[in-house]
Amino acid sequence: MEDMISKIVDMDKKARDITAEAQKSKIDYEHQIIQTKEKIKNDYLERAVERVKINQQTAQKKADEALKVIQSKNAAIIDNLEKTYSEKSDSWVDEIVSRVVGE
């Protein structure tokens, strides 16, 4: 009878040890999952920040190129207007004066 009780106590102790080990493994796995989740999240955020930087640089280059084209067109228009003014300003003044005076 004592032997039977001893075996039951031993089996109970082994069962508790197995349960404790399983509980410890569960907690360890939960910590690993949390760490892995945080790592994935941080990696994703780092990639997103890098992607935003690249997109920003690309957009800035496109904007700079568009600005250069516009500035070039504006410079050509200004040159054309100045050339036309220098060629025709005297005749315009004469025409305006003659219309005002009525000649």
Side-chain angles (χ1 to χ4, degrees), residues 6 9 16 42 45 52 60 74-75 79 85-86 91 93 98:
S6 176
V9 170
R16 279 191 242 153
N42 290 337
L45 288 175
V52 167
Q60 186 63 46
N74 286 346
D79 288 343
Y85 174 76
S86 66
S91 66
V93 169
S98 95

Side-chain angles (χ1 to χ4, degrees), residues 37-80:
K37 177 183 167 185
E38 285 298 315
K39 184 180 182 306
I40 290 170
K41 177 182 162 186
N42 290 337
D43 289 346
Y44 178 79
L45 288 175
E46 287 175 15
R47 286 194 316 266
V49 166
E50 188 62 32
R51 210 172 318 133
V52 167
K53 286 180 186 177
I54 291 170
N55 289 345
Q56 185 179 19
Q57 290 171 351
T58 303
Q60 186 63 46
K61 285 179 185 177
K62 286 182 181 181
D64 290 343
E65 290 171 7
L67 179 62
K68 285 180 184 177
V69 169
I70 291 169
Q71 286 174 334
S72 175
K73 287 180 181 179
N74 286 346
I77 292 169
I78 289 171
D79 288 343
N80 189 24

Side-chain angles (χ1 to χ4, degrees), residues 10-24:
D10 286 343
M11 287 174 50
D12 184 56
K13 183 180 182 307
K14 285 181 184 178
R16 279 191 242 153
D17 289 344
I18 291 171
T19 303
E21 185 63 32
Q23 187 66 25
K24 183 181 178 294

